[in-house]
Amino acid sequence: MSLVDLIARADERGLAASGLACLDRCVPLLGGDDEVLRPLWSSLADGGADGDAWGERLAKARAELDCADPSADTVLGPDPAPGSGSGAETETETEAETEAETEAAVSDEDRAAALARRMLATAPGDPCASALRAWADACSAAALQIHRLLDVAADGDGPLVAAERRRQVAVLELLAGRGAGGLRPALEVSTEGRRVLRAVVSRRARGRS
C-alpha cells in the first residue's frame, strides 16, 4: 500500500504517531535532546492524542525546543494568499525580488530546520481526526523534503529520501497492524532514522568548517 493510502486509512493514534515519528527523526535539526518528544510517545500509549496529556506535553516540547521562533516563516515564507488584482503588480514584483535575495542567503540546513520547526508549531494541541490527518500528511511531505535537502544526491531522490519514505511506511503499517502495540517498534524505527539524520547533520557541519 502506498504512503498516501496508509495515511488516508490510518486511525487517530496512527496519524498522531506518523506525524510524531516524522518530527522525532528531525529533532537533530532543532538542537533538541533525543528524548525531548518521548513524553508525547507516552501519551499515545496511555490514551492516544485525544487526552489532555497530549496538549500539555506538546506545549512543553514547544517550549523546550523554542519552536515559537518566527524564523520558520522568514525562511519558508508565509502561506500563499489569493491575489489582489493588477494594482498590486509593483508590490508583488518587489516582494518577489526580496524573497529571491533572502532565499539566496539561506542554506539547505536553514530550510530543513525551518520545516522541522513548522512541523512542531502546527501540531494540533486539541486534535480531531481531520486535524491529525492534515498534520500527518504535512509532516510526511516536510520530512521527505528535509531529507531531500540534506541528501547527497544531486538529482532526484537519493538514498536518504528513500530510507525516510520506507520508515514512514513502516510506522503506519505497524500502527495499522498492531494498534497501540505498534508504538514501541514505531519508536525504534524513528530512533534509527534520527540517528541517521544526526550523523548527516554532523557530517555536513564538519564539511563547512
Side-chain angles (χ1 to χ4, degrees), residues 28-119:
L29 291 163
L30 302 177
D33 182 88
D34 284 350
E35 300 298 313
V36 67
L37 299 180
R38 183 62 69 92
L40 284 167
W41 284 101
S42 296
S43 71
L44 293 183
D46 294 340
D50 57 349
D52 293 338
W54 169 268
E56 293 170 0
R57 294 171 185 179
L58 177 60
K60 184 178 179 181
R62 285 173 173 159
E64 291 184 12
L65 293 171
D66 195 22
C67 86
D69 186 344
S71 58
D73 287 334
T74 302
V75 173
L76 298 175
D79 293 334
S84 54
S86 60
E89 288 180 0
T90 301
E91 182 179 350
T92 301
E93 291 173 359
T94 301
E95 291 175 353
E97 291 172 359
T98 301
E99 288 173 4
E101 292 172 357
T102 300
E103 185 169 347
V106 174
S107 69
D108 286 341
E109 287 82 359
D110 291 334
R111 295 188 183 92
L115 285 166
R117 283 195 296 274
R118 183 170 286 183
M119 276 196 277

Side-chain angles (χ1 to χ4, degrees), residues 106-199:
V106 174
S107 69
D108 286 341
E109 287 82 359
D110 291 334
R111 295 188 183 92
L115 285 166
R117 283 195 296 274
R118 183 170 286 183
M119 276 196 277
L120 182 53
T122 57
D126 185 18
C128 60
S130 59
L132 284 170
R133 199 174 309 281
W135 183 59
D137 189 58
C139 286
S140 171
L144 289 170
Q145 180 61 14
I146 285 169
H147 286 74
R148 194 171 289 117
L149 285 166
L150 301 179
D151 208 326
V152 295
D155 299 307
D157 289 350
L160 199 62
V161 179
E164 168 60 16
R165 184 175 286 108
R166 287 195 299 271
R167 290 186 183 101
Q168 290 190 23
V169 168
V171 167
L172 285 160
E173 287 180 341
L174 284 166
L175 270 294
R178 305 188 195 179
L183 284 170
R184 181 176 292 277
L187 177 57
E188 292 172 355
V189 169
S190 181
T191 299
E192 177 195 17
R194 186 175 62 244
R195 290 171 179 161
V196 169
L197 193 64
R198 190 175 293 282

Side-chain angles (χ1 to χ4, degrees), residues 15-26:
L15 292 168
S18 176
L20 181 58
C22 288
L23 176 59
D24 201 358
R25 289 190 291 276
C26 297

